[in-house]
Amino acid sequence: MENIAVFPGSFDPITRGHESIIRRALPLFSKVIIGIGENRDKKSFFSLEQRRNWIQTIFAGERRIEILTYSGLTVTFCRSHNVRFILRGLRTAADFEFERSVGQINKLLLPEIETIFLLCAPEYASLSSSIVRDILHHGGDVKQFIPEGIDLSL
Ligand code: ADP
């Protein structure tokens, strides 16, 4: 069985923190699927198409990265794509507490799933999509927080 991981998230927008986790995961898996989730309860700031286009630009030419969108449960998405690993990044103890419960519930829903956590690189520990959105909203410059080669200007 191939070692495929899905990295699920909203990526609203993708940040250097996400990019770092994805690049660090590449040597660990045969393929990384970036799963852009459509969250029923969370109205996104950027459209799904914008979010997907930016991710495509960042990883253009990387054959072992696939970008897919999905709605519904992450475990259902994993099952339908033959994926056994869910990849998540951990920044803080609060992330850990949240991820622990989601990961353990996912394990009950689909026992063959393993959630793999990568510790965030220290320079990205305070970085989140919501902070980037906030800076953008107030007209600030987000260049240092988002991957090179994409332009988020509104
Ligand atoms: P979600 O809404 O599912 O949390 P996000 O797009 O906010 O989606 O995050 C997706 C994943 O990326 C999560 O595992 C999150 O912990 C991780 N992540 C977010 N920001 C960073 C960062 N700065 N460094 C490392 N991982 C991060």
Side-chain angles (χ1 to χ4, degrees), residues 2-141:
E2 259 194 295
N3 260 356
I4 306 175
V6 66
F7 185 45
S10 330
F11 308 105
D12 189 24
I14 186 164
T15 67
R16 289 192 187 205
H18 296 124
E19 181 191 17
S20 152
I21 295 284
I22 295 162
R23 294 201 190 280
R24 286 168 55 208
L26 269 180
L28 308 176
F29 300 100
S30 51
K31 182 165 137 187
V32 175
I33 298 175
I34 302 172
I36 312 174
E38 286 186 86
N39 192 331
R40 210 162 40 94
D41 307 320
K42 222 160 120 180
K43 169 106 184 65
S44 68
F45 188 77
F46 292 107
S47 73
L48 195 58
E49 203 190 344
Q50 276 179 313
R51 288 180 276 152
R52 190 181 40 216
N53 286 345
W54 287 320
I55 298 173
Q56 255 154 4
T57 303
I58 296 156
F59 297 108
E62 181 46 79
R63 281 180 308 107
R64 292 189 301 115
I65 292 183
E66 189 174 355
I67 301 147
L68 297 174
T69 59
Y70 74 101
S71 53
L73 292 177
T74 302
V75 287
T76 309
F77 177 72
C78 290
R79 196 187 278 122
S80 63
H81 288 84
N82 227 356
V83 166
R84 217 158 48 91
F85 300 104
I86 295 177
L87 172 68
R88 298 287 287 177
L90 288 180
R91 286 163 294 188
T92 60
D95 267 0
F96 170 76
E97 271 311 315
F98 176 76
E99 297 293 343
R100 183 188 54 74
S101 57
V102 175
Q104 288 178 334
I105 294 296
N106 281 341
K107 189 81 182 154
L108 292 172
L109 292 173
L110 186 62
E112 55 267 41
I113 278 287
E114 294 295 353
T115 305
I116 308 287
F117 298 106
L118 286 185
L119 280 183
C120 163
E123 62 270 35
Y124 302 131
S126 301
L127 180 54
S128 65
S129 297
S130 63
I131 285 178
V132 170
R133 292 195 298 270
D134 212 40
I135 298 169
L136 279 173
H137 181 75
H138 292 99
D141 183 1

